[in-house]
C-alpha cells in the first residue's frame, strides 16, 4: 500500500504549527498597523463642507492671516472658527450673489451658524492646547501643513501619539520666532539647530517634563 | 493544584490572548460625553454649547481697558505697543487698507469698495480715538472689528496708523539706519506672551 501522506506533508504540518503560534502576535500587530495607516487616520482626505471654502484663495492668494478667521488661537485651547459675520466682512460686498455662498447668506438671515465638519480631531482622552504651542513658537504649518495651498481643507497629520512625542522630545528642531507663527513656507534664516536652542531659552521651554504622560492625558 | 498542568498553561495563555483583544473594543474614552467648543447642544436656546457671557461681565484677568474711546488710552503707549499694533494691523486691517494704509489691499484689488487712504488730510488730522471708534463700530461698508480686536489692541492699532501716517511725511534723507541684521531680528523676539496691560509687557 502506498503511503497515505507523502513526504512533504511533514513540512506542511510544521509550517502550519509555526503559523498557528505566530497568529496571536501577527493578528494584533496587523490591527495595530492598520489603525495607523493614512486610510484610518484620515490623512489627506477631504470632507464635504457646507461651503467649498478655499484656504488657497483666502490664505494663499489673498494672503489673509490665519488669525483673521481663527482668532482665538493665541488665547485659547480652541483655535476658533470664523462666525458668519466674519465671512460677511468681505462677502457683504464681494460675490454677493454667488450660489456657492448661498449657505452663508442663509446663515446670516436665519441666525443659524454654519456647520463646518471637523477635519482634525483628537481622541477625547488627549488634552491639547493651541495657545501654548503658538506662544512658544510652534507654527501652524508644523502641524497643519501647507494650508495655503489647499483648495479644500484636508489634514496632513493623523496626530498619532508618536507625532506629538517626536517634537516634545526635541522641540528645538521645529521652533520659530513668534512673528512667523502663521507664515507658510518659512525657512530659518540661520541653521535651525542654532535658532532652536536659542528660542528654547527665550521661551523658557523645559523639555524634560514634556514627555510625561500627564501632560497630554490628564 | 489538580488537573492537567499542560491544559492549565494553555488555557492561561488563551485568557491572556483574549484579554488582549479587549483592547480593540470601543471604550468610549475617545468620544466622551462632554461638550467641545462650538458643538451643537439641545440644552440651550441657541442650540449651541458655546455660551455668551452675561452682559457686562468681566473676566478675572481681563485688563481694565474701557471700550469708550472718550476715556482715552490707558497708561502710556510705548514702542512695544506700536509694534504689536503693527502686527494686529497686518492681520485685521491690511487685507483692505494695504500694508501702507493707502487703501489698496489684496481684497480691494478683487473688487471690495476702496477705503480712503490714511494719508488724506482729514484722517491725518483725526484724533487717535477716532480710529478706536471706527474699529469698534465700523464705518459705512466696513464692519465692526470689536469681536476680534480687544480694546487695548484698538489703541495699539490706532497708534500704529498714526506712525504709518507720519512715515509717509518723512524726508527719506533724514532716516536713521534702523534695519537690524537678519539673524538678530530672528531671535530678538519681542512679541509678547498675551500682553495683559498696555505699557506692562515682558521681553
Amino acid at each position: 500500500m502506498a503511503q497515505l501522506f507523502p513526504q512533504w506533508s511533514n513540512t506542511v504540518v510544521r509550517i502550519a504549527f509555526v503559523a498557528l503560534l505566530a497568529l496571536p502576535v501577527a493578528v494584533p500587530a496587523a490591527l495595530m498597523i492598520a489603525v495607523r495607516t493614512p486610510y484610518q487616520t484620515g490623512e489627506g482626505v477631504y470632507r464635504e463642507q457646507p461651503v467649498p471654502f478655499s484656504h488657497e484663495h483666502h490664505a494663499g492668494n489673498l494672503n489673509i492671516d490665519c488669525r483673521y478667521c481663527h482668532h482665538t488661537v493665541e488665547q485659547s485651547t480652541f483655535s476658533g472658527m470664523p462666525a458668519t459675520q466674519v465671512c460677511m466682512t468681505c462677502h457683504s460686498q464681494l460675490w454677493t450673489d454667488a450660489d456657492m455662498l448661498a449657505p452663508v447668506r442663509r446663515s446670516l438671515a436665519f441666525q443659524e451658524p454654519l456647520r463646518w465638519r471637523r477635519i482634525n480631531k483628537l481622541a477625547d482622552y488627549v488634552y491639547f492646547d493651541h495657545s501654548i504651542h503658538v506662544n512658544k513658537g510652534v507654527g501652524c504649518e508644523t502641524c497643519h501643513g501647507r494650508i495655503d495651498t489647499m483648495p479644500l481643507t484636508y489634514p496632513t497629520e493623523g496626530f498619532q501619539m508618536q507625532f506629538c512625542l517626536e517634537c516634545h522630545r526635541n522641540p528645538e528642531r521645529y521652533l520659530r520666532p513668534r512673528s512667523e507663527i502663521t507664515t507658510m513656507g518659512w525657512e530659518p534664516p540661520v541653521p535651525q539647530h542654532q535658532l532652536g536652542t536659542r528660542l528654547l531659552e527665550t521661551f523658557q521651554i523645559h523639555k524634560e517634563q514634556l514627555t510625561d504622560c500627564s501632560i497630554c492625558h490628564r | 493544584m489538580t488537573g492537567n498542568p499542560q491544559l492549565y498553561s494553555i488555557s492561561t495563555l488563551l485568557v491572556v490572548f483574549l484579554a488582549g483583544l479587549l483592547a480593540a473594543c470601543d471604550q468610549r474614552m475617545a468620544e466622551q460625553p462632554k461638550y467641545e467648543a462650538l458643538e451643537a447642544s439641545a440644552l440651550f436656546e441657541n442650540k449651541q454649547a458655546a455660551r455668551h457671557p452675561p452682559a457686562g461681565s468681566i473676566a478675572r484677568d481681563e485688563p481694565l481697558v474701557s471700550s469708550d474711546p472718550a476715556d482715552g488710552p490707558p497708561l502710556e503707549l510705548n514702542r512695544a505697543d506700536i509694534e504689536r499694533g503693527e502686527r494686529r494691523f497686518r492681520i485685521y486691517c491690511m487685507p483692505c487698507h494695504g500694508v501702507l494704509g493707502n487703501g489698496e489691499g489684496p481684497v480691494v484689488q478683487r473688487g471690495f469698495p476702496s477705503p480712503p487712504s490714511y494719508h488724506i488730510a482729514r484722517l491725518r488730522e483725526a484724533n487717535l480715538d477716532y480710529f478706536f471708534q471706527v474699529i469698534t463700530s465700523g464705518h459705512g461698508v466696513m464692519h465692526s472689528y470689536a469681536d476680534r480686536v480687544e480694546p487695548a489692541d484698538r489703541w495699539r492699532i490706532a497708534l500704529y496708523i498714526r506712525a504709518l501716517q507720519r512715515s509717509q511725511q518723512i524726508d527719506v534723507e533724514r532716516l536713521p539706519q534702523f534695519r537690524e541684521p537678519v539673524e538678530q531680528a530672528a531671535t530678538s523676539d519681542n512679541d509678547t506672551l498675551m500682553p495683559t496691560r498696555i505699557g506692562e509687557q515682558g521681553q
Side-chain angles (χ1 to χ4, degrees):
Chain A
M1 196 177 92
Q3 275 185 323
L4 199 50
F5 292 106
Q7 194 81 57
W8 49 262
S9 53
N10 281 342
T11 327
V12 170
V13 170
R14 279 195 203 106
I15 291 175
F17 266 117
V18 172
L20 209 64
L21 282 177
L23 215 59
V25 180
V27 169
L31 286 173
M32 282 168 76
I33 292 168
V35 298
R36 282 167 178 74
T37 55
Y39 176 73
Q40 186 65 28
T41 57
E43 270 164 68
V45 179
Y46 301 101
R47 298 189 75 177
E48 188 89 19
Q49 297 285 3
V51 180
F53 177 81
S54 160
H55 279 94
E56 186 187 26
H57 265 142
H58 293 86
N61 300 348
L62 296 172
N63 202 10
I64 306 172
D65 194 283
C66 313
R67 290 163 288 186
Y68 190 99
C69 294
H70 305 295
H71 74 285
T72 55
V73 78
E74 292 167 310
Q75 290 104 312
S76 158
T77 54
F78 184 65
S79 64
M81 291 302 276
T84 304
Q85 282 296 344
V86 172
C87 308
M88 278 302 168
T89 56
C90 294
H91 289 292
S92 58
Q93 304 291 325
L94 282 175
W95 288 57
T96 45
D97 11 74
D99 285 342
M100 253 193 258
L101 281 159
V104 180
R105 294 191 294 273
R106 219 177 301 126
S107 155
L108 187 76
F110 296 108
Q111 296 289 309
E112 270 269 321
L114 286 166
R115 291 180 175 232
W116 302 108
R117 295 175 65 193
R118 283 203 80 120
I119 296 162
N120 298 287
K121 177 91 176 69
L122 285 175
D124 281 355
Y125 52 77
V126 185
Y127 173 80
F128 178 75
D129 186 338
H130 271 101
S131 64
I132 184 90
H133 290 97
V134 171
N135 286 315
K136 299 246 170 159
V138 187
C140 315
E141 187 185 1
T142 310
C143 297
H144 294 301
R146 288 300 296 269
I147 287 266
D148 65 326
T149 60
M150 300 181 188
L152 290 172
T153 322
Y154 59 87
T156 51
E157 266 310 324
F159 296 125
Q160 297 284 314
M161 183 158 125
Q162 67 190 39
F163 169 77
C164 311
L165 288 179
E166 156 70 15
C167 174
H168 276 210
R169 289 193 186 110
N170 295 302
E172 66 274 12
R173 288 189 199 154
Y174 304 94
L175 298 182
R176 45 173 92 187
R178 238 177 247 147
S179 51
E180 305 296 333
I181 286 302
T182 56
T183 312
M184 295 278 140
W186 180 76
E187 295 284 345
V190 294
Q192 179 66 40
H193 59 93
Q194 283 175 26
L195 183 67
T197 347
R198 241 175 302 168
L199 288 175
L200 214 56
E201 248 166 64
T202 319
F203 297 146
Q204 298 173 332
I205 294 170
H206 306 290
K207 62 177 183 179
E208 314 78 55
Q209 289 140 29
L210 268 183
T211 46
D212 292 358
C213 315
S214 60
I215 289 271
C216 305
H217 304 294
R218 33 176 104 182
Chain B
M1 214 196 306
T2 56
N4 185 338
Q6 243 163 0
L7 198 67
Y8 180 75
S9 54
I10 287 178
S11 52
T12 315
L13 271 179
L14 205 65
V15 166
V16 169
F17 169 62
L18 290 177
L21 282 185
L22 277 178
C25 295
D26 180 9
Q27 293 171 317
R28 297 185 170 263
M29 288 286 281
E31 278 301 331
Q32 296 164 14
K34 68 179 181 193
Y35 283 130
E36 279 161 30
L38 301 189
E39 202 171 314
S41 157
L43 275 182
F44 305 112
E45 268 165 39
N46 64 355
K47 303 205 189 79
Q48 293 174 46
R51 313 288 298 145
H52 286 292
S57 55
I58 298 173
R60 273 177 70 127
D61 54 352
E62 193 171 312
L64 288 174
V65 178
S66 165
S67 49
D68 183 355
D71 292 343
L75 302 173
E76 71 233 44
L77 298 158
N78 58 30
R79 190 185 157 141
D81 290 310
I82 303 190
E83 283 166 0
R84 178 160 165 97
E86 173 177 9
R87 286 187 296 270
R88 295 290 113 176
F89 178 88
R90 299 231 164 146
I91 300 171
Y92 297 110
C93 318
M94 182 283 285
C96 298
H97 289 276
V99 181
L100 294 176
N102 55 6
E104 287 166 22
V107 174
V108 171
Q109 286 165 21
R110 305 298 167 100
F112 198 88
S114 180
S117 163
Y118 289 151
H119 308 295
I120 60 175
R122 178 171 61 85
L123 290 175
R124 276 214 312 273
E125 278 147 29
N127 286 329
L128 279 192
D129 59 355
Y130 180 69
F131 299 107
F132 186 102
Q133 175 68 42
V134 172
I135 303 174
T136 312
S137 348
H139 184 92
V141 295
M142 174 183 149
H143 286 213
S144 158
Y145 281 77
D147 57 340
R148 279 167 289 158
V149 184
E150 56 171 90
D153 281 339
R154 290 176 219 165
W155 287 115
R156 296 188 179 111
I157 292 177
L159 196 67
Y160 176 68
I161 293 179
R162 179 81 341 129
L164 257 186
Q165 291 172 329
R166 298 250 170 97
S167 75
Q168 298 296 302
Q169 304 294 314
I170 282 177
D171 182 1
V172 182
E173 298 294 303
R174 289 173 45 212
L175 270 185
Q177 208 54 37
F178 65 89
R179 270 227 159 270
E180 299 169 48
V182 182
E183 187 190 332
Q184 200 184 335
T187 46
S188 78
D189 194 273
N190 46 19
D191 197 349
T192 48
L193 250 188
M194 280 308 95
T196 48
R197 203 155 284 129
I198 285 190
E200 181 199 290
Q201 302 178 322
Q203 296 168 31

